[in-house]
Amino acid sequence: MTSTPTAPAPLLPAPQDGGCPFSPPSVYTDAARTGTVTRATLLDGSSCWLVTGYQEVRTVLSDRRFSADARRPEFPFFVPGRREIAVANPNFLRLDDPEHARLRRMVTGDFLVKRVEAMRPEIQQIVDDAIDRMTASGSTADLVTRYALPVPSLVICLLLGVPYEDRQLFQDLSRVLISSTATTPEVSRAQQELLDYLGGLAAQKRHRPGNDILSRLVARDDLSLREIASTGLLLLVAGHETTANMIALSTLLLLRHPEQAARLADPAAVPGAVEELLRHLTIIHTGLPRLAVEDVELGGTPIRAGDGVVAMLSTANRDEELFGPPGTRPVDELDLDRDARRHLAFGFGVHQCLGQPLARAELQIALETLFRRLPTLRLAGTGAGSSAGTESSAGTGTGTHADTTPAFRTESLISGLRELPVTW
Ligand code: HEM
């Protein structure tokens, strides 16, 4: 990247630094206090811009002068060495229009609000079955493996036409793909294995089509098998890891705020509650990388073509003016009655999350049903440390929870939990 920083710039991605694991690391909040656009350094030693302001983040994500094409030589990466993977097998998440739009269009129809609303009974059934299975085998369980992960995994498998019996394979490979500690050869191998798997499935569907996305994609004559496999990979990985982590983290947070969890008993409050959980947790904790392809002025700061930029969703989602007007709790706190609809947890602009109607439906149904059907749900084991349900900071959301919940996925580019032992 170009400009030389004038002062020691913080390193991105920043580790959680002992504060509340639900809040952004202090590196980001400190930067946000300094200005909406500040300098930072990536792990490979290159400089980039850390964009923390709400309006500025929206500009980066919606202005064509910022590219999402990870094949460009100067594109910023959170993990050194990942460029070759993006170059070898691009998917539309990291391409610009018109390539991005051409591929995204092929699957837009499957994620429209209307289509997803029609799936609600099926999602409800999947959720109820998961709870039935969990309760049939005792009164304690790891909520991650028994509920948070199976629900979105099953849903995306149904949609894509991927056999759920193969979940161990694609869940393990997905974990490697979103890990910040896996080596480049490991990620490259995992990506190839998943592409081969999805390419094989798609080829079978050419002869025996089903009512699913992969079958619809292979029936087209304007897509290569490689493009179909890459799109399938993006949907499969994005479609279960994110929502699974949101279900697990939201459950943990709600168990720590029982007075707020009670709001889920009112069906009218559930959609708003989910928006606030999305805002508060902002699980894409590293922010979103982009590359300036023209000179731009952003928040009064000149940015040069060739500069890397990181749009920090978590600080944007704590914009005081937007999310903390008089009468609401401070933006660092969870407030399920807050109007959080303008949050950026799903990104913004042309790459805004394609699966957001599905993610919303899954989260609303999974959380409402869990707290309704298991009213005595509480933390068990390590997560149930004395501070888990009663910590003095429960109302502030800024306390030090890390010691009582050792299962945070610190190695992942997406916030999540390795396990969540619960009892009911
Ligand atoms: C709570 C769960 C989810 C969160 C927080 C989330 C977040 C995001 C974010 C922030 C982006 C923008 C990335 C960027 O601009 O660089 C994105 C893109 C995307 N998401 Fe999600 N996502 C979630 C669930 C899902 C689900 C269930 C699917 C279903 C398949 C999905 C599919 C996608 C796809 C395909 C893209 C790429 C869109 C594009 O580049 O045009 N996501 N997601």
Side-chain angles (χ1 to χ4, degrees):
M1 263 122 264
T2 54
S3 331
T4 317
T6 49
L11 203 60
L12 303 186
Q16 256 314 332
D17 48 4
C20 172
F22 301 119
S23 297
S26 58
V27 163
Y28 305 151
T29 45
D30 289 350
R33 269 191 292 276
T34 315
T36 54
V37 181
T38 53
R39 289 306 265 170
T41 305
L42 292 165
L43 292 178
D44 65 3
S46 61
S47 298
C48 70
W49 295 103
L50 170 58
V51 180
T52 50
Y54 183 87
Q55 288 307 336
E56 289 78 4
V57 165
R58 281 180 26 139
T59 302
V60 167
L61 299 180
S62 58
D63 187 320
R64 299 284 158 102
R65 290 174 296 177
F66 294 97
S67 167
D69 188 340
R71 298 168 306 178
R72 292 178 184 265
E74 289 157 309
F75 194 86
F77 283 87
F78 294 121
V79 185
R82 295 285 165 91
R83 187 179 319 280
E84 63 185 69
I85 292 162
V87 170
N89 273 299
N91 59 51
F92 66 83
L93 174 69
R94 290 287 167 262
L95 291 173
D96 289 336
D97 288 347
E99 281 174 291
H100 158 264
R102 179 179 77 87
L103 292 168
R104 178 167 166 137
R105 229 183 353 255
M106 310 285 175
V107 284
T108 310
D110 291 287
F111 295 94
L112 294 174
V113 173
K114 216 170 92 187
R115 192 72 73 81
V116 171
E117 286 305 301
M119 284 179 64
R120 274 184 181 262
E122 212 169 346
I123 300 173
Q124 183 69 58
Q125 191 63 55
I126 288 173
V127 163
D128 279 323
D129 290 349
I131 295 183
D132 289 345
R133 274 195 303 274
M134 204 164 68
T135 49
S137 58
S139 60
T140 58
D142 170 21
L143 196 93
V144 172
T145 50
R146 301 300 301 275
Y147 191 68
L149 192 57
V151 167
S153 268
L154 258 161
V155 172
I156 197 67
C157 280
L158 273 175
L159 269 172
L160 263 182
V162 168
Y164 184 62
E165 305 80 76
D166 294 344
R167 61 188 176 278
Q168 203 56 52
L169 175 84
F170 66 73
Q171 285 172 1
D172 289 350
L173 295 174
S174 300
R175 289 267 159 75
V176 178
L177 293 184
I178 60 166
S179 161
S180 62
T181 51
T183 63
T184 302
E186 281 167 350
V187 176
S188 183
R189 260 199 311 277
Q191 175 166 272
Q192 197 50 55
E193 211 178 312
L194 202 45
L195 287 171
D196 290 346
Y197 168 73
L198 288 163
L201 263 183
Q204 286 170 24
K205 286 172 189 289
R206 200 162 263 154
H207 308 294
R208 268 174 283 123
N211 181 18
D212 53 61
I213 294 177
L214 282 180
S215 297
R216 281 192 284 284
L217 293 179
V218 284
R220 306 181 66 104
D221 52 14
D222 54 353
L223 279 175
S224 65
L225 204 53
R226 190 187 157 116
E227 286 174 326
I228 295 169
S230 293
T231 300
L233 180 144
L234 172 60
L235 297 177
L236 189 59
V237 177
H240 77 273
E241 270 296 340
T242 46
T243 315
N245 288 337
M246 266 304 295
I247 294 174
L249 285 169
S250 300
T251 304
L252 174 59
L253 196 54
L254 291 168
L255 289 175
R256 283 176 165 169
H257 296 267
E259 77 297 347
Q260 296 214 40
R263 294 291 291 127
L264 297 181
D266 173 7
V270 174
V274 164
E275 297 313 306
E276 169 64 355
L277 287 161
L278 284 160
R279 179 199 74 84
H280 187 74
L281 290 166
T282 313
I283 58 167
I284 311 288
H285 67 90
T286 51
L288 301 176
R290 294 291 191 267
L291 179 74
V293 288
E294 285 178 37
D295 292 351
V296 193
E297 196 177 285
L298 187 67
T301 304
I303 295 195
R304 306 243 179 81
D307 284 357
V309 175
V310 174
M312 193 51 64
L313 304 178
S314 54
T315 49
N317 279 345
R318 280 167 161 70
D319 182 289
E320 292 282 351
E321 249 174 64
L322 260 182
F323 301 113
T328 53
R329 294 187 197 199
V331 290
D332 282 332
E333 298 179 18
L334 183 74
D335 179 353
L336 295 190
D337 289 319
R338 189 193 306 281
D339 180 359
R341 282 173 299 179
R342 279 181 290 172
H343 69 75
L344 302 178
F346 288 122
F348 189 70
V350 292
H351 288 279
Q352 194 176 34
C353 181
L354 174 78
Q356 57 182 292
L358 180 62
R360 285 194 164 102
E362 290 178 329
L363 289 169
Q364 290 167 12
I365 296 170
L367 293 171
E368 185 278 328
T369 310
L370 183 68
F371 283 86
R372 172 169 48 79
R373 288 199 48 194
L374 302 179
T376 57
L377 189 74
R378 59 197 184 280
L379 298 173
T382 51
S386 59
S387 66
T390 57
E391 77 268 36
S392 57
S393 56
T396 66
T398 54
T400 51
H401 304 160
D403 52 343
T404 54
T405 307
F408 281 92
R409 273 190 197 287
T410 48
E411 79 293 355
S412 179
L413 296 167
I414 302 174
S415 302
L417 292 171
R418 243 184 294 283
E419 57 168 9
L420 183 61
V422 290
T423 185
W424 54 86

